[in-house]
Amino acid sequence: MAPPIAIDAARREVLARVRPTAAEEVALDDALGRRLAADAVAEGPFQPFDNSAMDGFAVRAEDLAGAGDGVPVALDVVDESRAGHPAGRVLAAGEAIAISTGAVLPSGADTVVRVEDTEREADPDAPTGPDAAFRPWVGRVLVRVAPSLGANVRRAGEDIAAGETVLRAGAELGPAELGALATIGLDPAPVHRRPRVAVVTSGDELRGPGEPLGPGAIRDSNSRTVPGLARLAGADVVSVDWAPDEPEATRAALGRALDADVAIVCGGVSVGEHDHVKAALAKLGAEEIFWRVALKPGGPTWFGTRGGTLVFGLPGNPVSVMVTFLTFVRPALISMAGGDPATRRVTARLGAAYEKPTDRAHAVRCRLELDERGWVAWPLPRQGSHVLTSMLAADALALVPADSAGLAAGDAVEVELLDRSTMGR
Ligand code: AMP
Ligand code: MG
C-alpha cells in the first residue's frame, strides 16, 4: 500500500485536475457569490459628468474672491440644477445656479458654495399653498465665503475612468462588486456556471429524519453538512443519495453521482469488510489519483477522476468529512468556478500545548481569541473525529505539521479560518 500523501501535495493533485466551468450570463440580482468569467471594463467614466458634492450654489470662484463673513457678495440666482435635471442655461459672471448633490455642474460654473455658507433673499413671487407647482427659486443669494477654485466639485471619472478594468475575471461577486457592475451597466454579467455536485452517503446504520432508529442505527448528518459546505463553496447540489453497505447498490448510487462535475461519497471508503466504495468506483471506471492522506482527522480520503468528473471519497466520521471537504473539495469547487482556491490563513499562538506523533498533519479544532499580541488558538477539548458538536464551537483549524512532535503553549501555528457564515471563504 502506498504511503499517505501529504496534504499540500494532495491539494495540488486535486487542483491540477480542475477544469473551470463554462461562462453564462446571469442577472446581477441572481449573481451574488458567483465569480466573473471575464474582466469587467467600464465603457465610460463614472461619474459621467462633473457634479456637485453638496447642496448649494454653482458659481464662478472669481466672482467671490472678495467675499467673507462681514462682506457678503450677492449673486443673481438664475436657474436650478437638480439631480437628474441639469440646468437649462450657462452661468454668466455675477450669477449663481442653485444645485443639489449629484446634479450636473452647469457650464460656466467652476465651483460650488455650500448652502450653509449662504443666505437667500426671499422670493416675493413664489407660489404658495399645497397646489403650488414647482418653480425654480429665483432672486439673490448672499455668499459669505470666498471658495477655492473647484471647491465641492466632483470631477467626471473620479471613481472610474473610461476604459478602466473595474473587476478582473475570477472576482467573487459580493455586494460591492454587484454595485460596481451595476455602476458600469454590466447586467447581466458573465459568470462561471456553478459546479454541479452530487453527494452520496453510505452506511447501513444511517437513518434520515423521522425514520425509526432501531438497534445500531444513527442519524445521517453528512447528508446535511456536506451539501451545506458545497453550497457555501458556490456549488449547485444536484442530488443527495444514500447507499447501503452492499456492492451493487453502492455501484448504482455512485453511477448516478458520476454524471455531476464533482461526486462526493461519504463513508464506506476505508478498508473494512463492508466498505464497498473503492471497488465500486474502480468498476465504474474511476481512476484513482490518491488514497489516504497524512491528515488527522481524515486519513482514508480517496480522490480520483472519471472523464471530467472529480470524485472524492471522504471518510464517514462527521468531523473527518467536514475537515476533508474544507481541505480538498472546497478549493476544487472554488477553482472550478474561476476563483482563487487559496485558503484564508492567519498565524496564531497556540493557547495550550498540543502533543502528537510525527506521522501526519493534524487539523485541530480551535476557538480563536484576540489578545494584545494577536490571535490565540485554543484547542477544543474533544478532538475525536466523531464529535460533530466540536465543529459548533470551532472558529478555525490549527494545522500542526506532519513532522511536528507537538507544540508548546505560545508556539506559532498556522490556522485556517472557519468563518461562521462562509466556512473560511
Ligand atoms: P465509514 O467511513 O463508513 O467507516 O464510517 C465511519 C464512521 O462514520 C462510522 O461511525 C459511521 O457510522 C459514521 N458515519 C458514516 N457516514 C455517516 C453519516 N452520513 N452521518 C453520520 N455518521 C456517519
Ligand atoms: Mg460505513
Side-chain angles (χ1 to χ4, degrees):
M1 202 188 302
I5 183 171
I7 49 178
D8 289 343
R11 217 185 314 225
R12 277 197 299 277
E13 292 286 355
V14 170
L15 291 175
R17 286 164 180 84
V18 165
R19 282 187 292 188
T21 57
E24 60 183 358
E25 295 283 328
V26 171
L28 294 188
D29 280 343
D30 299 318
L32 185 68
R34 296 291 200 100
R35 290 185 171 78
L36 277 182
D39 290 354
V41 180
E43 279 178 18
F46 184 76
Q47 292 175 308
F49 43 81
D50 292 353
N51 65 92
S52 180
M54 293 283 176
D55 292 325
F57 293 89
V59 298
R60 292 156 24 111
E62 66 185 79
D63 288 351
L64 298 172
D69 218 8
V71 277
V73 169
L75 300 172
D76 290 327
V77 181
V78 294
D79 200 355
E80 184 177 35
S81 176
R82 289 194 293 153
H85 303 277
R89 54 179 286 174
V90 176
L91 186 94
E95 292 179 347
I97 289 179
I99 194 164
S100 321
T101 305
V104 176
L105 185 73
S107 53
D110 54 30
T111 301
V112 169
V113 288
R114 303 181 310 160
V115 75
E116 295 91 326
D117 295 326
T118 67
E119 210 174 288
R120 288 156 70 150
E121 288 182 346
D123 175 4
D125 303 326
T128 54
D131 299 329
F134 173 78
R135 170 174 169 274
W137 184 87
V138 290
R140 293 200 324 154
V141 63
L142 298 175
V143 183
R144 301 189 177 282
V145 290
S148 55
L149 182 66
N152 301 317
V153 173
R154 307 190 291 207
R155 296 289 168 203
E158 254 179 40
D159 188 357
I160 300 169
E164 184 175 330
T165 298
V166 178
L167 290 168
R168 297 241 168 249
E172 187 181 351
L173 303 183
E177 288 77 11
L178 293 177
L181 294 179
T183 295
I184 66 169
L186 192 66
D187 187 3
V191 296
H192 284 276
R193 176 172 66 70
R194 291 188 186 282
R196 284 191 270 267
V197 168
V199 178
V200 179
T201 65
S202 97
D204 282 352
E205 74 279 30
L206 304 177
R207 297 288 181 277
E211 289 183 88
L213 275 184
I218 60 167
R219 298 282 174 214
D220 179 348
S221 60
N222 296 345
S223 62
R224 297 300 186 281
T225 50
V226 173
L229 288 163
R231 290 191 182 103
L232 278 183
D236 181 10
V237 177
V238 293
S239 61
V240 182
D241 210 349
W242 168 79
D245 291 322
E246 192 277 312
E248 281 303 317
T250 300
R251 198 154 70 218
L254 290 179
R256 290 189 292 273
L258 288 173
D259 290 336
D261 298 316
V262 174
I264 304 170
V265 51
C266 320
V269 74
S270 208
V271 287
E273 192 83 3
H274 305 288
D275 292 329
H276 302 293
V277 167
K278 280 172 13 106
L281 287 170
K283 279 214 166 122
L284 289 163
E287 183 199 347
E288 177 177 306
I289 308 297
F290 63 75
W291 182 56
R292 300 199 306 144
V293 291
L295 171 63
K296 182 182 174 181
T301 296
W302 189 96
F303 171 67
T305 56
R306 197 191 69 170
T309 301
L310 304 186
V311 188
F312 292 91
L314 305 183
N317 267 308
V319 176
S320 310
V321 84
M322 292 190 77
V323 168
T324 52
F325 183 101
L326 291 167
T327 309
F328 306 113
V329 187
R330 186 175 174 278
L333 291 174
I334 290 173
S335 176
M336 206 173 257
D340 174 2
T343 49
R344 224 162 43 117
R345 290 187 187 182
V346 298
T347 303
R349 284 173 289 125
L350 209 57
Y354 183 86
E355 284 179 10
K356 69 182 265 301
T358 54
D359 54 358
R360 47 187 178 152
H362 284 203
V364 185
R365 275 146 284 151
C366 288
R367 193 168 49 76
L368 282 184
E369 214 173 79
L370 194 60
D371 73 6
E372 63 288 347
R373 289 167 53 210
W375 290 108
V376 186
W378 291 95
L380 290 163
R382 293 181 303 151
Q383 292 287 331
S385 58
H386 60 297
V387 183
L388 181 57
T389 51
S390 65
M391 287 302 285
L392 301 177
D395 299 312
L397 300 173
L399 301 172
V400 186
D403 60 3
S404 162
L407 296 172
D411 280 356
V413 67
E414 289 279 286
V415 304
E416 208 162 295
L417 301 179
L418 300 176
D419 184 301
R420 299 232 63 89
S421 60
T422 61
M423 296 303 281
R425 180 176 297 177

